[in-house]
Amino acid sequence: MSTTALTSTVQVLGAPGDRHDEILTPAALEFIGRLDAAFAGRRFDLLAERRRRAERLASGVPLDFSRATPAVRTNPDWRVAQPAPGLTDRRVEITGPPERRMTVNALNSGANVWMADFEDATSPTWDNIVGGQLSLLDAIERRIDFTTPDGKQYRLGDDPATIMVRPRGWHLTEKHLVVDGRPVSASLVDFGLYFFHCAQRQIDAGHGPYFYLPKLENHYEARLWNDVFVLAQELLGIPRGTVRATVLIETISAAYEMEEILHELREHSAGLNAGRWDYLFSLIKNFAHRPDFVLPDRAKVTMTAPFMRAYTELLVRTCHKRGAHAIGGMAAQVPSRDAQANETVLAAVRLDKEREAEDGFDGSWVAHPGLVPVCRGVFDGVLGERPHQIERTRDDVHVTAEDLVAVRRTAGPPTIEGIRANIAVAVRYFAAWLRGSGAVALDGLMEDAATAEIARCQIWQWIRHRAVERDAVVELLDDEIAALGAEYPWARLDEVRALFERTAMARDLPAFFTPDAYARYLVHRPAVQS
């Protein structure tokens, strides 16, 4: 990879904040400028290809395994890199936004890995983005201890979890950092700031710069990330192959290119993760125009649905075939203070993790520290002293292209309770997101943007195919907006309603709610001084 590309001058438009100058240093901005100069054009082209693929799917072109890459899939000899320090045993991983309290709690949770999530669990306000980088830097420097105004102390323990960072996806931009008036890729901002400030610090601490990569739709997007890693390591004098990245398989098209994605990233790969809620969102979104893909209430589409089983089993088989970790999906439950209710919660989590461990996953995700012991207990029971079960290659699994989209046995109309639940969760999440919170406890679950995406896409699909009349949705929306205002006086009701109507009730279905909502409501720049 050549490093001769000219540096793009990055201009900061975001309002200055406390300690922002520690992150937005001239050298760090120059580093981001080098990445932008090298990769902005390719990113633009890949996003254009995403739109073309979405149009093909909407027109009825079926998904299939790539005819261009059979040599990758049939070659038995290649493997991904060996696990990096701190990533050999990943039986429990916890996720959450990189705000200070969550950072301390997650690192102290007893989980093996913490995924610091700048994407679906973070509302991308400028303060959240820069503040999240400060939290990570402070945690690595072990200066994150703090006491709240009410006297509660947060102290980092002696054996913190390994940090992995999830930057925002390729489809998002950071409008507070621009080059020639053009916003910089949010992926490059989140990756670049963390890598610049923390890569060498993590290496010195015995780990390394590790990442989760979201929303990839094909192996060309994985190749772009691999080239970003190569250039970043070269620019900072870090040995090639030090970076490790786990790809979330959370789009329907990526499910058909798992081996190709691992192959592109093989020198930097840390395996694949079953990002199941975004995966369900992707399937609904891409086939929302088709009446045979109308799914019932969100709560009824479980991981035992045949098309979801095909996806997860194929993921385990693919990873283990190539020597890679397979990491299971999120347990989003929030423990209850009621003992009887809590036992029900823990039993549901235990059942979910037992299925994953028995299927061959090497670890799994939880959203709350209180679920770490349950997840650990299940995987301890299967793994014992082994750090993983990669040797279990699942040669018994055979998944066809049709199996991944075989929704026939799951399809069905919604109930009025399911319609109301989707509207309620969407508007409540939107309200919190607009206020700056991307991880929100709703009805006993820790929800992130994927939940709102599923909810609003299902409403759009149900209206389109007359599973519910538009007037009925409007009436339910009126009720839920009123209930939201009564419960949360701070909620920006007009903006919440407008966001719901644009993303769930418009003629065309937006690919994501986040880009437009971010541009309308979260981009704030300092006033021009006269």
Side-chain angles (χ1 to χ4, degrees):
M1 170 75 60
S2 171
T3 61
T4 59
L6 293 176
T7 302
S8 298
T9 301
V10 177
Q11 182 182 7
V12 180
L13 300 184
D18 183 38
R19 298 179 60 203
H20 280 201
D21 58 328
E22 296 180 36
I23 297 298
L24 303 171
T25 65
L29 294 175
E30 181 183 2
F31 180 70
I32 290 174
R34 295 295 294 269
L35 298 179
D36 177 83
F39 301 114
R42 280 176 60 189
R43 170 185 170 271
F44 182 84
D45 292 341
L46 287 171
L47 293 179
E49 176 54 32
R50 279 191 182 185
R51 292 188 290 272
R52 287 190 291 269
R53 174 175 282 197
E55 291 170 358
R56 291 196 296 271
L57 288 178
S59 69
V61 176
L63 279 167
D64 201 351
F65 300 106
S66 173
R67 297 180 181 178
T69 54
V72 172
R73 297 193 299 274
T74 58
N75 182 347
D77 297 329
W78 64 268
R79 296 289 187 276
V80 304
Q82 291 293 312
L87 293 182
T88 301
D89 189 333
R90 301 170 60 183
R91 65 189 68 198
V92 188
E93 300 192 352
I94 191 168
T95 76
E99 54 90 21
R100 294 186 79 80
R101 183 174 63 177
M102 178 65 195
T103 297
V104 175
N105 286 342
L107 291 174
N108 289 345
S109 67
N112 302 79
V113 170
W114 172 45
M115 187 192 78
D117 188 9
F118 283 92
E119 205 221 13
D120 278 358
T122 292
S123 173
T125 66
W126 183 231
D127 282 342
N128 283 350
I129 296 303
V130 182
Q133 295 285 346
L134 281 164
S135 293
L136 293 169
L137 179 60
D138 286 349
I140 294 165
E141 290 285 288
R142 298 195 66 88
R143 62 188 186 204
I144 197 169
D145 298 355
F146 69 100
T147 302
T148 64
D150 61 2
K152 187 172 184 179
Q153 295 184 336
Y154 289 83
R155 299 287 182 266
L156 193 61
D158 295 330
D159 187 25
T162 299
I163 294 174
M164 301 185 77
V165 172
R166 175 158 73 164
R168 286 168 285 175
W170 284 128
H171 61 293
L172 299 171
T173 60
E174 177 50 70
K175 293 182 179 293
H176 298 100
L177 294 178
V178 300
V179 173
D180 297 328
R182 167 183 56 80
V184 178
S185 161
S187 300
L188 297 181
V189 171
D190 298 342
F191 164 81
L193 290 175
Y194 177 72
F195 191 88
F196 183 85
H197 290 292
C198 299
Q200 189 60 55
R201 286 179 165 94
Q202 287 284 47
I203 294 167
D204 295 342
H207 286 171
Y210 305 146
F211 300 90
Y212 260 98
L213 305 181
K215 306 290 190 293
L216 299 192
E217 296 200 2
N218 55 59
H219 70 281
Y220 298 108
E221 297 181 10
R223 181 180 300 172
L224 177 57
W225 266 119
N226 196 71
D227 289 345
V228 170
F229 298 156
V230 170
L231 178 57
Q233 290 166 132
E234 189 173 331
L235 289 174
L236 296 191
I238 289 172
R240 179 165 171 159
T242 302
V243 170
R244 288 292 191 276
T246 300
V247 173
L248 293 122
I249 301 299
E250 54 185 358
T251 66
I252 184 63
S253 57
Y256 289 83
E257 299 190 29
M258 293 187 201
E259 287 204 68
E260 292 87 342
I261 288 170
L262 285 176
H263 187 262
E264 293 292 345
L265 286 159
R266 60 194 180 279
E267 65 179 332
H268 297 114
S269 178
L272 304 177
N273 171 280
R276 57 197 188 187
W277 305 128
D278 269 298
Y279 183 79
L280 182 58
F281 156 55
S282 175
L283 183 134
I284 295 169
K285 173 180 65 177
N286 279 288
F287 296 101
H289 299 79
R290 290 180 51 173
D292 53 328
F293 275 79
V294 174
L295 293 175
D297 298 356
R298 182 166 54 98
K300 296 180 180 179
V301 185
T302 68
M303 294 307 297
T304 61
F307 70 96
M308 297 297 282
R309 289 287 293 158
Y311 149 67
T312 54
E313 292 204 307
L314 179 62
L315 189 148
V316 173
R317 184 184 189 280
T318 301
C319 285
H320 289 184
K321 176 182 177 182
R322 303 304 180 181
H325 281 83
I327 306 300
M330 171 72 78
Q333 290 88 343
V334 176
S336 172
R337 294 183 179 180
D338 178 86
Q340 185 173 357
N342 196 52
E343 184 51 44
T344 301
V345 167
L346 298 183
V349 174
R350 190 175 299 112
L351 184 64
D352 180 54
K353 300 312 172 190
E354 287 172 349
R355 175 187 51 74
E356 290 184 324
E358 291 165 5
D359 282 349
F361 281 97
D362 303 294
S364 193
W365 275 12
V366 299
H368 192 282
L371 302 183
V372 169
V374 179
C375 185
R376 179 171 295 282
V378 169
F379 277 89
D380 284 351
V382 171
L383 298 179
E385 297 300 316
R386 296 175 299 158
H388 51 69
Q389 52 183 332
I390 291 175
E391 75 284 349
R392 189 178 168 208
T393 54
R394 291 303 311 270
D395 295 332
D396 58 306
V397 171
H398 301 283
V399 174
T400 67
E402 292 76 18
D403 291 338
L404 291 171
V405 290
V407 303
R408 298 182 306 278
R409 289 163 57 188
T410 311
T415 66
I416 191 65
E417 293 80 12
I419 296 166
R420 181 183 290 278
N422 273 12
I423 296 171
V425 75
V427 299
R428 280 161 175 73
Y429 185 83
F430 288 164
W433 190 88
L434 291 172
R435 201 181 188 215
S437 296
V440 186
L442 297 172
D443 299 325
L445 299 174
M446 187 61 68
E447 307 286 23
D448 66 11
T451 304
E453 295 285 28
I454 294 171
R456 60 101 185 171
C457 279
Q458 280 201 304
I459 294 296
W460 189 94
Q461 185 184 46
W462 292 338
I463 292 173
R464 179 182 175 88
H465 298 293
R466 306 299 292 272
V468 60
E469 294 299 326
R470 182 185 179 87
D471 288 347
V473 171
V474 171
E475 290 183 12
L476 292 172
L477 178 60
D478 289 341
D479 292 344
E480 294 304 324
I481 291 291
L484 175 66
E487 188 174 358
Y488 301 113
W490 47 260
R492 294 144 62 174
L493 300 183
D494 290 344
E495 293 177 359
V496 169
R497 185 185 189 103
L499 179 55
F500 185 88
E501 290 175 345
R502 283 197 308 275
T503 59
M505 301 178 69
R507 184 187 68 176
D508 298 319
L509 178 64
F512 298 94
F513 86 80
T514 43
D516 179 67
Y518 166 70
R520 287 176 184 266
Y521 305 121
L522 299 188
V523 177
H524 300 294
R525 296 164 179 166
V528 177
Q529 299 297 318
S530 58

